[in-house]
């Protein structure tokens, strides 16, 4: 169990840092309803996307490296895979928890506020009513807690898996010392 403690903690830290980053981007009006009105949403979304995956990449790297240092003799490919997978899985699970906390407890009107901001922007742009309503329904389904939780979980697993394979290959020790 001791060998899994570090990657679980790293996964928690990545998910927490991602949540803090999202709240910071909301406060800076780079995400959410105010960002839509200011046309900053693309910038904020890009920052969030890149930073989340960089945090996950670094967490996997440092978990594998730390395990390699603890073993003292290097690390086999399989052991590196386990470390990276546990970071990815714990990040995915904690991200779901933090997503639910955000959407249901911290900012329960987020979806409604965002939909209203989109409605105002699209109406001022002269989007036809049928197209506007269809787009808003699509966006509301996309922003739902369940959809965002699923994307968070699957995204962290897939991206973490890819990073794990890559890093495990490069960080494994080629021969026993």
């Amino acid at each position: 169990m001791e060998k899994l403690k570090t990657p679980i903690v790293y996964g928690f830290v990545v998910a927490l840092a991602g949540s803090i980053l999202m709240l910071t981007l909301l406060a800076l009006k780079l995400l959410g309803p105010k960002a839509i009105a200011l046309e900053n949403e693309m910038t904020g979304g890009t920052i969030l996307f890149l930073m989340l995956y960089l945090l996950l990449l670094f967490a996997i790297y440092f978990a594998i490296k730390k395990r390699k240092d603890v073993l003292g003799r290097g690390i086999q490919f399989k052991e590196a895979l386990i470390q990276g997978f546990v970071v990815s899985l714990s990040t995915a699970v904690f991200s779901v928890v933090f997503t639910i906390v955000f959407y249901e407890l911290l900012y329960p009107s987020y979806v409604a506020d965002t939909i209203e901001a989109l409605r105002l922007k699209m109406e001022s742009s002269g989007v036809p009513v049928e197209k506007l309503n269809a787009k808003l329904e699509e966006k509301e389904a996309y922003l739902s807690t369940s959809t965002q939780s699923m994307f968070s979980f699957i995204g962290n697993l897939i991206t973490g898996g890819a990073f794990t394979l890559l890093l495990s290959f490069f960080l494994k020790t080629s021969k026993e010392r």
Side-chain angles (χ1 to χ4, degrees), residues 140-167:
E140 190 169 7
Y142 172 77
L143 290 173
S144 72
T145 305
S146 60
T147 302
Q148 290 301 303
S149 295
M150 179 188 67
F151 284 156
S152 178
F153 186 82
I154 292 171
N156 280 306
L157 278 184
I158 291 172
T159 306
F163 288 159
T164 295
L165 284 171
L166 185 66
L167 289 171

Side-chain angles (χ1 to χ4, degrees), residues 27-177:
L28 294 173
K29 299 175 185 151
L30 291 170
L31 278 182
K34 293 177 182 171
I36 292 169
L38 297 170
E39 298 187 17
N40 290 336
E41 189 175 34
M42 188 67 105
T43 301
T46 302
I47 292 168
L48 183 64
F49 176 79
L50 292 174
M51 289 305 297
L52 287 174
Y53 291 128
L54 279 175
L55 290 169
L56 183 57
L57 177 68
F58 288 136
I60 293 168
Y61 171 81
F62 285 114
I64 293 171
K65 188 162 177 358
K66 183 172 182 178
R67 184 69 184 155
K68 186 177 183 177
D69 293 344
V70 166
L71 292 172
R73 57 174 165 66
I75 192 166
Q76 294 180 344
F77 183 73
K78 180 181 173 185
E79 181 74 19
L81 280 177
I82 291 169
Q83 292 296 300
F85 178 72
V86 173
V87 170
S88 302
L89 182 61
S90 64
T91 300
V93 170
F94 288 121
S95 291
V96 169
V97 172
F98 291 138
T99 298
I100 292 168
V101 167
F102 173 78
Y103 280 90
E104 301 298 323
L105 299 175
L106 294 178
Y107 196 166
S109 65
Y110 178 78
V111 175
D113 292 349
T114 302
I115 296 300
E116 185 57 30
L118 283 169
R119 177 184 308 284
L120 293 171
K121 184 171 178 108
M122 291 171 76
E123 284 175 350
S124 70
S125 299
V127 175
V129 175
E130 299 84 31
K131 188 174 181 180
L132 181 138
N133 288 334
K135 190 67 174 171
L136 292 177
E137 284 180 28
E138 178 186 312
K139 192 69 168 180
E140 190 169 7
Y142 172 77
L143 290 173
S144 72
T145 305
S146 60
T147 302
Q148 290 301 303
S149 295
M150 179 188 67
F151 284 156
S152 178
F153 186 82
I154 292 171
N156 280 306
L157 278 184
I158 291 172
T159 306
F163 288 159
T164 295
L165 284 171
L166 185 66
L167 289 171
S168 295
F169 178 75
F170 285 111
L171 294 176
K172 72 176 173 45
T173 306
S174 55
K175 296 179 182 176
E176 285 286 321
R177 290 181 180 171

Side-chain angles (χ1 to χ4, degrees), residues 8-28:
I8 291 170
V9 169
Y10 285 12
F12 174 80
V13 169
V14 170
L16 181 62
S19 297
I20 291 169
L21 176 61
M22 183 171 175
L23 292 172
T24 302
L25 292 171
L26 276 166
L28 294 173

